[in-house]
């Protein structure tokens, strides 16, 4: 029973060690929820700004206002009591309803090259240069491109045309009216103009560390690996740039996200990135963070789902990552909601109802492009540095960031963090770190426990077991001496002659013959055993010398002749 308990103890301790090792080995990979600050610091480097330039050779006619047609439509609606502003409203309503009916091409023809640009966000998913964004950030239909070229490339011409219409009508447009007319004129130009040699080029911009200056933007030409269709199509594009050791973001599973869960968006909204009130400097071109919750899932016309959130996003956020609170990308911020103002005919963006293409769809594009995620060792080191920095271990964080900078001088935001760490250290805010890294503790603690268990096993438990086995011999004298002596009479012919001598001789023999059994016990049991045999005289009913069974009235042993006492 004791031996069984010992084995149970050893087995239990072994099981405990195994479980502890498994627990310790898993500690380094534990999935923990993060706060918005850590998500921002982790993923700003891997969230990038993307710009696309469309160019082409365009030919277009001059435009003129068909006043006669406009008057014919407006006149029946005008009353004598109306003011000039009321009549203007009617004129604009008719123009907006069908601008092509009243703004017509003239005999003049113009031709020259023109460019138009668009911008959005993206995120790096492979340190060797693979980037994810929206398709509409890097491509567009011919009609969309023509409109962009008309609005942006022909901006001066459109503005001059609007001014001529305003003068011709003898009216002064408000800001809203001028914008509506600008859009209408640009649409007309796009209708009549022809575009040839359309080209597009996309670039990725990433903050680059410049010692002594800070974070500046460096551009990388981007090649389109695969692109879907703009919404309502699967609005996803995979890009490739020629670079290595890039910062990356982690991808997650959108299927596990539930309504009401908090999410975070990173990107480059135009309203914040290029706000005219801000200082025009590249240092201000940084990702903006907004947060909110998942509102639900909606189904697109093509049968696939999008994630609805109330996170504030706008133009420029398109293509940027939507994170869960584990810092994993679950979707691409893609489009918002608009409301048509019936009085003005303009569309206005409605905040709080925005949509993201889920990672389920993005993964289809990655799989079809044979692109896999990959995190560089520098990114792991950078995250470790961020952890130390946020825990106020500024000296240790500074060393980490310097190692990252040594590995890549272009790693974003590292120089800023080194400078900030230095300031914190000089201000006396630095906290010392534990001398042994956590990852090393995860290895050393289980090993130490294993050593302790082995010491207990071989020094304490096993020796006790041996002592118990040895300690069983003293309790066996009544049986142990009988066993060898019972075997000794096996050759009776050799032992038979001693009984022949006269009876007195056996009396002198006992001292000499009693020494014989004293030699045998010394081999297997303590020397004190023979003395105990003398005192006890052997077991009752047996000869003390040879162990032969005696009868009740025997005075001498019938086998060896020893007197029975």
């Amino acid at each position: 029973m004791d031996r069984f308990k010992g084995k149970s103890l050893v087995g239990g301790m072994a099981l405990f060690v195994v479980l502890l090792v498994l627990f310790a080995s898993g500690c380094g990979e534990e999935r923990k929820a993060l706060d918005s600050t850590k998500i921002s610091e982790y993923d700003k480097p891997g969230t990038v700004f993307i710009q696309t330039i469309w160019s082409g050779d365009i030919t277009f006619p001059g435009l003129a206002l068909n006043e006669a047609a406009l008057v014919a439509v407006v006149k029946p609606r005008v009353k004598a009591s109306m003011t000039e502003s009321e009549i203007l409203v009617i004129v604009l309503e008719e123009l907006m309803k069908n601008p092509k009916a009243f703004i017509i091409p003239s005999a003049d023809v113009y031709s020259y090259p023109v460019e138009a640009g668009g911008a959005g966000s993206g995120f790096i998913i492979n340190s060797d240069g693979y980037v994810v964004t929206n398709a509409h950030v890097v491509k567009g239909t011919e009609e969309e491109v023509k409109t962009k070229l008309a609005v942006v490339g022909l901006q001066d011409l459109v503005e001059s045309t609007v001014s001529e219409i305003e003068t011709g009508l003898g009216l002064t447009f408000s800001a809203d009216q001028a914008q509506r007319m600008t859009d209408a004129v640009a649409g007309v130009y796009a209708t009549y103009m022809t575009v040839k040699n359309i080209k597009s080029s996309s670039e990725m911009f990433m903050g680059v560390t410049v010692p002594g200056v800070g974070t500046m933007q460096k551009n990388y030409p981007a090649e389109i690996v695969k692109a879907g269709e703009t919404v309502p199509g699967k609005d996803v594009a995979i890009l490739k740039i020629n670079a290595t050791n890039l910062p990356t973001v982690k991808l997650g599973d959108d299927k596990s996200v539930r309504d009401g869960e908090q999410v975070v968006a990173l990107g480059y909204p135009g309203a914040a990135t290029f706000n005219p009130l801000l200082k025009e400097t590249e240092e201000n071109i940084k990702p903006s963070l907004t947060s909110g919750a998942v509102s639900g899932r909606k189904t697109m016309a093509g049968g696939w789902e999008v994630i609805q959130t109330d996170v504030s996003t706008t133009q420029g956020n398109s293509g940027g990552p939507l994170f869960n609170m584990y810092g994993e990308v679950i979707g691409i911020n893609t489009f918002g909601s608009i409301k048509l103002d019936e009085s003005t005919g303009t569309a206005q963006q409605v905040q709080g109802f925005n949509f993201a293409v889920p990672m389920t769809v993005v993964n289809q594009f990655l799989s079809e492009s044979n692109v896999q995620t990959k995190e560089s060792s520098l990114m792991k080191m950078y995250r470790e540095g961020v952890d130390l920095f946020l825990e106020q271990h500024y000296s240790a964080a500074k060393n980490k960031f310097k190692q990252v900078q040594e590995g890549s001088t272009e790693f974003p935001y590292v120089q800023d963090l080194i400078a900030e760490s230095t300031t914190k250290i000089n201000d006396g805010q630095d906290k010392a770190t534990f001398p042994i890294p956590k990852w090393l503790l995860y290895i050393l603690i289980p090993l130490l426990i294993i050593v302790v268990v082995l010491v207990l096993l071989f020094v304490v438990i096993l020796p006790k077991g041996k002592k118990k086995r040895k300690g069983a011999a003293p309790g066996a004298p009544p049986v142990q001496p009988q066993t060898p002596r019972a075997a000794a009479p096996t050759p009776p012919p050799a032992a038979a002659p001693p009984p022949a001598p006269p009876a007195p001789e056996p009396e002198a023999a006992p001292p000499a013959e009693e020494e014989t059994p004293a030699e045998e016990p010394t081999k297997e049991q303590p020397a004190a055993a023979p003395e105990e045999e003398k005192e006890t005289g052997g077991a009752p009913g047996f000869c003390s010398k040879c162990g032969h069974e005696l009868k009740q009235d025997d005075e001498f042993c019938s086998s060896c002749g020893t007197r029975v006492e």
Side-chain angles (χ1 to χ4, degrees), residues 325-525:
M325 297 313 293
Y326 294 101
E328 301 164 340
V329 180
I330 58 170
I332 311 174
N333 297 306
T334 303
F335 66 97
S337 298
I338 58 174
K339 180 182 179 181
L340 186 64
D341 188 333
E342 296 180 357
S343 62
T344 62
T346 58
Q348 298 178 342
Q349 187 173 5
V350 180
Q351 281 296 343
F353 302 93
N354 298 311
F355 299 88
V357 175
M359 278 307 303
T360 303
V361 176
V362 177
N363 288 333
Q364 295 174 4
F365 281 75
L366 294 176
S367 177
E368 291 170 4
S369 305
N370 197 28
V371 175
Q372 298 179 341
T373 59
K374 178 184 176 183
E375 184 179 62
S376 69
S377 57
L378 290 182
M379 190 62 200
K380 294 178 182 177
M381 195 179 300
Y382 172 82
R383 290 175 185 267
E384 291 173 1
V386 169
D387 289 339
L388 291 168
F389 182 88
L390 295 179
E391 292 169 1
Q392 300 182 352
H393 304 308
Y394 298 115
S395 293
K398 182 178 178 180
N399 291 333
K400 283 286 183 184
F401 294 137
K402 282 187 174 181
Q403 293 177 44
V404 174
Q405 191 176 53
E406 291 170 1
S408 173
T409 56
E410 298 181 349
F411 205 96
Y413 308 109
V414 171
Q415 180 63 35
D416 296 340
L417 288 167
I418 290 175
E420 192 171 352
S421 297
T422 302
T423 301
K424 298 288 187 182
I425 294 169
N426 293 338
D427 291 343
Q429 300 181 38
D430 186 31
K431 292 183 180 180
T433 55
F434 192 81
I436 302 178
K438 290 182 179 179
W439 64 267
L440 187 57
L441 288 177
Y442 295 146
I443 298 174
L444 292 179
I445 291 176
L447 289 178
L448 179 61
I449 294 174
I450 292 173
V451 171
V452 171
V453 170
L454 292 175
V455 169
L456 291 173
L457 181 64
F458 289 101
V459 176
V460 180
I461 298 174
L462 292 180
K464 283 185 177 180
K466 291 181 179 180
K467 288 180 180 179
K468 287 182 179 179
R469 288 195 295 273
K470 288 181 179 180
V479 180
Q480 193 75 8
Q482 295 173 11
T483 305
R485 291 192 180 99
T490 325
E505 290 183 8
E507 294 183 280
E513 290 176 353
E514 285 179 335
E515 295 176 0
T516 306
E519 295 177 0
E520 294 180 2
T522 56
K523 297 179 181 179
E524 297 182 0
Q525 58 187 12

Side-chain angles (χ1 to χ4, degrees), residues 49-54 115-121 136-138 148 152 201-203 205 274 316:
F49 178 75
I50 295 176
Q51 177 178 276
T52 299
I53 301 296
W54 287 273
E115 289 185 345
S121 306
H136 74 258
V137 173
V138 294
K148 286 180 182 292
V152 180
S201 60
S202 298
E203 292 180 312
F205 290 80
F274 303 105

Side-chain angles (χ1 to χ4, degrees), residues 12-160:
M13 295 183 74
L15 179 61
F16 171 74
V17 171
V18 171
L19 292 175
L20 189 61
V21 170
L22 291 175
F23 170 77
S25 62
C27 287
E29 301 297 328
E30 186 178 356
R31 189 167 177 260
K32 295 181 178 179
L34 310 175
D35 56 32
S36 298
T37 300
K38 183 164 285 190
I39 292 174
S40 176
E41 293 299 330
Y42 274 175
D43 296 300
K44 280 195 306 184
T47 303
V48 294
F49 178 75
I50 295 176
Q51 177 178 276
T52 299
I53 301 296
W54 287 273
S55 63
D57 299 323
I58 63 173
T59 300
F60 55 94
L63 299 181
L65 180 64
N66 189 342
E67 295 183 13
L70 183 59
V71 170
V73 173
V74 172
K75 188 174 181 180
R77 297 182 56 186
V78 175
K79 298 178 180 180
S81 60
M82 286 184 174
T83 62
E84 181 179 329
S85 59
E86 290 175 334
I87 296 173
L88 176 59
V89 170
I90 295 174
V91 171
L92 290 179
E93 285 179 357
E94 295 298 335
L95 276 173
M96 297 303 104
K97 286 180 182 178
N98 189 8
K100 295 177 184 178
F102 308 111
I103 303 174
I104 58 177
S106 67
D108 300 325
V109 178
Y110 305 91
S111 180
Y112 59 86
V114 67
E115 289 185 345
S121 306
F123 51 96
I124 305 171
I125 54 99
N126 183 302
S127 60
D128 291 333
Y130 287 97
V131 184
V132 174
T133 186
N134 280 140
H136 74 258
V137 173
V138 294
K139 64 173 282 190
T141 65
E142 183 177 354
E143 191 65 28
E144 290 170 342
V145 173
K146 287 173 65 176
T147 302
K148 286 180 182 292
L149 292 172
V151 173
V152 180
L154 302 177
Q155 184 174 1
D156 293 340
L157 182 60
V158 170
E159 289 179 355
S160 65

Side-chain angles (χ1 to χ4, degrees), residues 134 251 407 435 552:
N134 280 140
L251 304 187
Q552 187 173 0

